[in-house]
Structures are given as C-alpha cells and as structure tokens.
C-alpha cells in the first residue's frame, strides 16, 4: 500500500475512534463556547474643539453588558448597560487616548484608540510669508532662488521642474492669491506680480529706494498682498488688481516675517532682537487701504536657564510668523541668543551649549485690535540644534514641522505639547522653507544653498525615509565655486569642524552676512562686551582688521573662534595649526592652508555691498539738512573725517605691525581686554551702513546716533560735538544715516 494512502486510512480510523468516544455514534461534538471579547473602538481620528464626536465599541458580551468610557481629557461616562456608543465634546486641544471598558461573564475587558483634538481650521485659511508655496488649484509648487534671482515652478505629482523664471535681484519670499503670485524682490525694491498659470510677469510694483522688501503674504480675504519693508521699517498693502501700493505703515526696524488672518489681523516679526527682547507687532488690516498699528508684544529674555539642554537669551532672527490653521495663535521659529550670560555679566562664561540654540515661541492672537500674549510655558528650546529657520503646520494643525538651518534637518513636533513626533535628517544645505501638500502626506523642503527642493512622504513618521524626489530649482550657479562652498560652510553647524553637536555656525550671529545687533559678553575670550559687527559691505578684511579690538588680521583667524567657543575641531589639521605662531591670532598666516577655511574667507570677502539707505528722501528740506550735515562732518572743528575719511570712512589699519586704535572716551568696566591684554583703544568702524546697525559703539551702549554724538561724548573725545545744537545734530545724523554704497 502506498505510504500516503496508509496515512490517510490511519487518520480516518483515528477520527472515527474519537467520534465514538465523544458521541458514541460518530456524531460531531458540540462547539466550545466563544470567549468574551472586545473589538476596536470605531470613530473619527480627528475631533474639533467644541463639536460633538461619537465612538462605538463592538463586543460579544451581549446587548445589556455595561460599558464605561474614558475620553482621555478627564471626561468619562460611568458603566451603563448597552452603552456601546458614546459621544463627547472636547474643550482642549491635544492628543487623547479614548478607552472603553466592557463588563461581561464576570470579567472586564478594555479597548483604546488614539485621537487628535484640534481647533477647527478657519475658512479662509491664514497665510504666512514663505520661500515656498503650494498652489493646490494647479497642483504646483513655487519657490524662490535668492542668489540666482529667479523663481521656479514645480509640478507636484510627480515632482518635477516645470520652469525656472529669471525675475529680479534677491527674491526672498512669495505668496499666492487667486491666479496671481507675488514675489518680494529685496535687491531691486519691488514686488513682482506673476500669472500663476504660466509665470508671466503682470506688473512690477516699486516700493521705494532702500525699502528692501522681505516678507510677502496674501490677504486671506483676497484682493491684496501684504509686504514687510525690511529697510524702511514699514508694512505695506498692495492691491493685486491695481498693482499699486494702497497703504503703508511704520512698524519699527527690521520687519521680516508677516502673517495674515481673515479677521484682518497682521502679525509682523522684527527680525533682530534687542537686549530687552524680541518684538512682534499686530497690524489692523481690516481695511487694507488704511493699515493701522494695533499692539506690540515684547518677548523678554529667558534668564537663569543655562544648562546642557537650555540657555538664557533672547529670541533672535525671527524670519517667520506661522499662524495655526484656526488663526488663534502663531509659532515663531528663531534662534535664542544668549546675551544674558558671560563672565562679566553673571560670572559664568558662555559655553558651546549655552551660547545659542534653536527655539520656538508661541503667541496667542486676539484679533486686529487686541494685544497678543505669549503663552505661559510656550517657548520650546531644541537640544543640540541651531537656528530654527522656518516652520509649517500640518493641514489639520496637529503637527508642526521645523527647519533647522545649520543642522540641515526637519524636526517634527506635536503642535500643542511640542513632544517629538519624528525627524528628517539631511534635507539639504540651509533649509529655509517648508510647505505640506493639502492632504498632509508630503512635505516639501527648500534648501536654498543646495539650490534644490526635496520631497518627503510624511504619512508615517515612525521611521526615517529617503526623499521621494530632489528637484534642482536653479539651472546656473551664480556664485564662484569657492564662494558657494564657503557660504554653505558658513551656514553649516552640523559639520563637526565648525561646532560641537550642531549648536553654532558663523550664521548664528551673521545671518545673511549681517550682524545680529546684539552685545555679547566675550570676557572669557580675552575681550569684553562686544556689539556684533556686520560683515556685509566690509569685504572681509577690505576695511581693515576685524573686530572692535583689531584682534584678527585675516578672515581665516576665525579658526580660533571655531576651535574655542564653538568647540569645533577646526578646519586646519592640528599639526598645521600648531606650527610656528599660527595658533595665535595675528600670527603666521593661515590663508592657503585649508581649502575649506579659504572658501569661508572667500564668501565673507564677497560681501562687498552695504546696500541703499532708506533714510534718503528726494525732498528739498531733507537734502538741505543732509548737505549741512556733510559740511559739519568734514569741518575741521568737528574733526569726524580725521578718523572716518572716505572712501572707507575708517582709518582701520595696521601700521608697523600695530593696529590703529583710539580711546574716544567710551571704554568702561565691561570693555574688557584685547587678546587677554590691555585694551588701549577701539578700532575705527566704517560709517557705511549705519542706518541698519544700531545700537552703536563697541559695547552697544548708544541706542541711537544722537546718543553717540551727545550722551556718550561729553568731553568731545569722539569728535567735537558739544558746540552743535539740536538742528545741527539732526543735520549730521541725516548725513551719517545715508552713507551707503552710493556715497563717494
């Protein structure tokens, strides 16, 4: 008999024997009872505040089995017979765990499920300035290329470049309203209006010399764009139909980020902070043709927080205001700059962990005429990460994506608790723009120094994923290879040669090649209180030695800051760095010894433009005032030009190996030293670009030029000004604040 047939017969015999023993006649035995069980809870995964939401739970305990509910927010429903369905109204946002407990057969079994509770998104949705926008009507993405002077149009699905459109000098942000795309062109002081279908330019709206527009966003109600004029210190409304400015409003210095709510609220961020803190301004835009300032909010310094996971300091470099989908609050990504601590100020030196780090601030909005408020405990400091350069909410508002510029990553946080929800590493050089697809499943990241946009699937954040696509947005590289490399390194904190644990880069104090206009305590570096000097316009060492104490004679000397306070390993090999006197500033030259260090120097040296002063006016009275101020400046009695002679407007130099320093009566207890030794005087700063570099003097002790000329010059050591009356001082200020690239 074949083996298989024998096995089948044996099995049949066994079955028959089993049937006889159980039923006596081979009948099928009764089925065992089904055990009591509880199935999944059914219901929506998203709930809106104040709206009833219902859940159902299936179980085998019978129709009368008692069911108790816990809604995860402190609310509950006690056990009740047949309560397999329950409804609830949530009053606070956040993530909740809903649980149902069923009693049957003397046992209790439970099931649970997660739920996200959010405020209901507003319609129309709030808008915010950004370097990248999603055009849902055409399934396209628009992005700016600041260095290339162009904008790019991308197809969303599949991701691909549609066109690159040469446009203007330094496009910074863009916005979409209906069939019009608006682009803020900082370099040529215009707002360009483009056709959203084909990118054709419809109009160029002039915004004024020196206005330096930066942020642009669309009025959610339609019909207008709102623009921040970074140079002029104003917000402007531009009619999209008439292609003209219909209203302007002074909002204070350095406005950059701007967001609009459909109730007529504009939120404007001041880019640079002061020692007192960062400033957010609310503008009443209910009537775009008549902008009116509402309230300002000061975000004061954090004090006493220095540790390995946080630091004291002020929110600095506020590039964006990002409103929640419901328009009730706004998130402000920035860098927390520690101008609170230091050996002179607190007795504790700054460390690589306590100098600066990425931070989010959260403010509550109350309407166009109500004062905003900072939410208590609403600041979130990131560990081991530098500047938070951009942010974007998920469409429903439960998550917030945060670009970390120098670390080149995106952090994903719960939008209410800021708990970690995921992260995406290696998103490209200097990410400055984020946008999600309307369904929230894809994230688009603009990395402006990679000249590319990367697209990520964010439908599941449980594990890192490679990009779905990388789209190059600029066809021709505008910078020389060494300048581009240097700019990338200048912004890059993730390179261990630059800093330890991704906290710091050159851009931490000199974003855009500017200065943060803050006064740092560098006493532990052998210096003192030092007001950050802008790099823009100075061409590296073209205007003389670097720093207030002339302690560097080449850009490559920043190797000392990198190896010291920034705790990087440095760009020079150790044996090269420690050869001769190279490991001292002003020692043997470092140029030519590291291609990457030389590239950083090449980028810094390329920053040769101060720009246009917004203080200039084609007004006969102003021109007369400025001309009189020029005469005072060059007069032998005032003596200003003896140290600030054109064309450099400085006498900064080394003579016979020694720096030219002056004691103009401004040295004080906090002025510290020079290279750890006596500080005999201060290196003369150039006067070009004064309109954007307040406060003044080496220690930032003069908030205005008037304070420099009068309050901080009582003995006429800093030029003779005691003989000048208020009108003459105003004339001198008019001249000083218009010394730009155009002044001979």
């Amino acid at each position: 008999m074949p083996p298989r047939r024998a096995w089948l017969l044996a099995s049949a015999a066994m079955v028959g024997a089993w049937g006889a023993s159980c039923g006596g006649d081979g009948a099928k035995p009764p089925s065992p009872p089904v055990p009591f069980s509880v199935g999944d809870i059914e219901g929506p995964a998203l709930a809106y505040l104040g709206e009833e939401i219902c859940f159902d739970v299936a179980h085998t305990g019978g129709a009368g089995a008692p069911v108790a509910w816990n809604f995860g927010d402190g609310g509950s429903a006690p056990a009740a017979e047949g309560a397999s369905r329950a409804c609830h109204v949530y009053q606070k946002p956040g993530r909740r765990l809903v649980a149902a407990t069923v009693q049957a057969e003397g046992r209790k079994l439970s099931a649970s499920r997660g739920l996200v509770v959010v405020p209901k998104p507003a319609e129309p949705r709030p808008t915010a300035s950004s370097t990248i926008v999603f055009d849902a009507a055409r399934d396209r993405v628009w992005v700016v290329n600041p260095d290339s002077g162009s904008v790019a149009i991308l197809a969303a699905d599949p991701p691909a470049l549609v066109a690159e459109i040469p446009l203007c000098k330094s496009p910074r942000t863009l916005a979409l309203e209906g069939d019009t795309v608006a682009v803020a062109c900082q370099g040529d002081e215009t707002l360009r209006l483009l056709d959203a279908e084909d990118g054709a330019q419809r109009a160029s709206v002039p915004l004024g010399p020196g206005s330096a527009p930066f942020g642009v966003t669309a009025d959610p109600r339609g019909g207008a764009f709102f623009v921040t004029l970074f140079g002029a210190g104003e917000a402007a409304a531009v009619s999209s139909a008439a292609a003209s400015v219909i209203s302007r409003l002074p909002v204070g210095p350095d406005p950059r980020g701007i967001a609009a709510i459909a109730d007529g609220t504009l939120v404007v961020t001041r880019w640079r902070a002061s020692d007192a803190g960062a400033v957010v301004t609310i503008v009443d835009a209910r009537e775009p043709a008549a902008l009116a300032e509402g309230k300002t909010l000061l975000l004061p310094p954090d004090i006493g927080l220095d540790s390995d996971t946080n630091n004291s300091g002020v929110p600095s470099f506020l590039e964006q205001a990002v409103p929640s989908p419901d328009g009730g609050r706004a998130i402000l990504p920035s860098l927390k700059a520690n101008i609170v601590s230091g050996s002179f100020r607190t007795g504790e030196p700054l460390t690589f962990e306590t100098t600066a780090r990425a931070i989010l601030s959260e403010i509550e909005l109350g309407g166009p005429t109500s004062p905003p408020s900072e939410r208590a405990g609403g600041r979130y400091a990131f560990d081991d990460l530098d500047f938070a350069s951009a942010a974007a909410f998920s469409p429903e508002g439960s998550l917030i994506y945060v670009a970390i510029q120098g670390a080149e990553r995106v952090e994903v946080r719960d939008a209410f608790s800021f708990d970690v929800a995921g992260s995406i590493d290696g998103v490209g050089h200097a990410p400055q723009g984020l946008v999600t697809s309307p369904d929230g499943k894809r994230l688009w990241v603009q990395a402006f120094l990679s000249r590319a946009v990367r697209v990520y699937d964010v439908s599941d954040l449980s594990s890192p994923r490679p990009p779905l696509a990388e789209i190059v947005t600029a066809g021709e590289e505008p910078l020389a290879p060494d300048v581009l490399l240097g700019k990338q390194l200048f912004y890059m904190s993730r390179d261990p040669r630059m800093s330890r644990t991704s906290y710091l880069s050159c851009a931490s104090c000199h974003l855009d090649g500017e200065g943060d206009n803050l006064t740092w305590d560098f006493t532990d570096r052998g210096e003192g209180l030092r007001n950050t000097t802008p790099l823009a316009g100075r061409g590296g060492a073209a205007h003389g030695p670097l720093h207030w104490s002339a302690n560097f004679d080449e850009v490559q000397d920043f190797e000392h800051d990198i190896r010291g306070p920034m705790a990087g390993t440095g760009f020079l090999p150790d044996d090269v760095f420690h050869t001769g006197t190279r490991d001292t500033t002003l020692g043997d030259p470092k140029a030519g010894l590291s291609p990457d260090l030389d590239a950083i120097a090449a980028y810094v040296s390329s920053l040769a433009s101060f720009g246009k002063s917004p203080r200039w006016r084609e007004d006969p009275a102003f021109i007369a005032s400025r001309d009189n101020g020029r005469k005072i400046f060059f007069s032998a009695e005032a003596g200003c030009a003896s140290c600030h002679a054109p064309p450099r407007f400085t006498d900064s130099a080394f003579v016979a190996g020694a720096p030219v320093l002056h004691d103009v009566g401004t040295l004080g207890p906090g002025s510290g030293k020079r290279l750890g030794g006596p500080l005999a005087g201060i290196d003369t700063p150039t006067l070009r670009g004064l309109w954007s570099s307040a406060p003044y003097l080496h220690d930032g002790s003069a908030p205005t030029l008037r304070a420099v000329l009068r309050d901080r010059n009582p003995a006429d050591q800093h030029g003779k000004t005691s003989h000048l009356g208020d009108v003459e001082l105003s004339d001198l200020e008019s001249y000083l604040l218009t010394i730009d690239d155009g002044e001979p």
Side-chain angles (χ1 to χ4, degrees), residues 302 304-314 335-343 345-346 348-358 381-385 500-504 508 520-522 524-525 565-567:
D302 283 329
L305 297 184
D306 293 342
S307 69
D308 61 348
T309 58
N310 207 337
N311 65 286
S312 304
V314 297
L335 173 144
K336 183 157 65 165
N338 192 352
I339 46 89
V340 172
S341 307
S343 296
R345 287 167 167 156
T346 63
E348 295 293 330
L350 296 174
T351 69
F352 74 94
E353 293 173 304
T354 61
T355 299
R357 67 178 62 229
F382 291 84
D383 198 23
D384 296 334
L385 295 172
R500 185 173 172 183
T501 58
S502 297
Y503 274 124
L504 298 165
S508 297
W520 297 79
D521 184 351
F522 289 158
D524 62 291
R525 303 187 188 187
M566 297 168 69

Side-chain angles (χ1 to χ4, degrees), residues 52-55 57 65-90 97-103 108 110:
E52 187 177 71
I53 181 174
C54 297
F55 307 97
V57 62
V67 181
W69 290 86
N70 186 317
F71 300 110
D73 64 343
S76 61
E81 293 184 1
S84 58
R85 181 177 178 84
C87 299
H88 187 63
V89 177
Y90 287 90
L97 187 66
V98 180
T101 301
V102 184
Q103 303 178 39
K108 293 183 179 180
S110 297

Side-chain angles (χ1 to χ4, degrees), residues 171-205:
R172 299 307 299 258
T173 61
L174 40 67
L176 173 70
E177 195 269 302
D179 61 357
T180 303
V181 173
V183 184
C185 293
Q186 188 175 47
D188 59 13
E189 295 122 357
T190 62
L191 184 72
R192 304 296 179 96
L193 303 182
L194 311 181
D195 189 309
E197 291 291 342
D198 57 12
Q201 182 170 302
R202 290 178 172 174
S204 177
V205 183

Side-chain angles (χ1 to χ4, degrees), residues 284-675:
D284 180 353
R286 288 176 294 176
E287 295 293 337
L291 297 179
E293 186 173 346
K295 303 292 183 178
T296 58
L297 172 67
L298 178 69
L299 306 178
D302 283 329
I303 298 174
L305 297 184
D306 293 342
S307 69
D308 61 348
T309 58
N310 207 337
N311 65 286
S312 304
V314 297
S316 176
F317 293 145
L318 277 68
E319 298 264 86
Q320 270 193 317
V322 186
S324 56
D326 69 302
R329 61 195 179 114
I331 299 294
L332 312 174
S334 67
L335 173 144
K336 183 157 65 165
N338 192 352
I339 46 89
V340 172
S341 307
S343 296
F344 176 77
R345 287 167 167 156
T346 63
E348 295 293 330
L350 296 174
T351 69
F352 74 94
E353 293 173 304
T354 61
T355 299
R357 67 178 62 229
I359 184 177
L360 299 179
S361 302
E362 182 180 355
I363 63 173
E364 302 287 346
L365 304 175
T369 60
S370 299
S373 60
E374 185 174 11
R375 184 175 69 84
R379 294 187 191 181
Y380 179 85
F382 291 84
D383 198 23
D384 296 334
L385 295 172
D386 74 318
F387 174 46
S389 53
F393 279 94
S394 57
E396 79 288 350
S398 66
L399 296 174
I400 187 162
Y401 299 91
V402 184
I404 309 295
Q405 180 176 265
E408 301 181 356
R409 63 189 297 158
V410 171
E411 291 292 305
V412 191
R413 294 290 186 266
D414 180 280
F416 304 102
S417 66
F418 293 143
D419 290 340
V420 176
S423 66
I424 307 169
D425 192 31
V427 298
H429 298 314
Q432 292 191 341
L434 303 172
V435 70
T436 62
S437 56
D439 62 6
K441 294 181 179 180
R442 290 186 176 183
L443 177 71
W444 298 66
V445 183
Q446 179 245 4
F448 96 103
L449 286 178
S450 288
R451 319 305 196 196
V453 168
R454 293 184 181 177
V455 188
Y456 294 88
D457 180 355
V458 290
S459 58
D460 181 2
L461 293 167
S462 61
S463 61
R465 295 187 179 185
L468 298 173
E470 180 174 12
I471 310 159
V472 175
T473 60
E476 294 185 8
E477 175 53 50
L479 303 182
D482 60 338
V483 174
L484 173 61
L485 173 60
K487 191 171 185 177
Q488 291 170 340
L489 293 169
F490 185 92
Y491 280 74
M492 191 185 299
S493 66
R494 69 182 284 137
D495 189 328
R497 297 175 299 173
M498 177 65 77
S499 75
R500 185 173 172 183
T501 58
S502 297
Y503 274 124
L504 298 165
S505 72
C506 305
S508 297
C509 295
H510 296 285
L511 189 61
D512 282 357
E514 295 284 350
D516 58 22
N517 290 1
L518 296 172
T519 302
W520 297 79
D521 184 351
F522 289 158
T523 304
D524 62 291
R525 303 187 188 187
E527 296 292 309
L529 300 182
R530 296 292 183 262
N531 181 11
T532 304
T533 303
L535 300 179
R538 288 151 180 82
H543 277 249
L546 305 175
H547 293 161
W548 290 98
S549 65
N551 62 347
F552 290 1
D553 62 353
E554 58 178 342
V555 176
Q556 286 85 346
D557 273 337
F558 280 102
E559 177 82 357
H560 294 272
D561 283 349
I562 290 168
R563 285 171 171 261
M566 297 168 69
T569 60
F571 289 88
L572 289 172
D574 283 348
D575 60 337
V576 175
F577 181 69
H578 293 296
T579 297
T581 61
R582 200 170 289 127
D583 56 3
T584 61
T585 66
L586 309 178
D588 292 337
K590 301 176 182 66
L593 301 176
S594 164
D596 287 352
L597 191 59
D598 288 345
I600 294 174
Y603 167 62
V604 174
S605 298
S606 74
L607 301 172
S609 174
F610 292 89
K612 295 179 184 178
S613 170
R615 300 300 185 100
W616 175 261
R617 298 192 298 277
E618 292 290 345
D619 173 71
F622 177 81
I623 294 172
S625 172
R626 183 179 185 273
D627 288 347
N628 189 51
R630 182 191 281 112
K631 292 175 183 177
I632 296 171
F633 180 87
F634 285 105
S635 70
E637 186 175 17
C640 304
S642 62
C643 295
H644 294 284
R648 293 190 302 142
F649 286 88
T650 173
D651 63 1
S652 177
F654 283 97
V655 177
V660 176
L661 302 177
H662 301 280
D663 182 356
V664 295
T666 59
L667 299 180
S671 298
K673 302 179 179 181
R674 178 179 182 269
L675 295 171

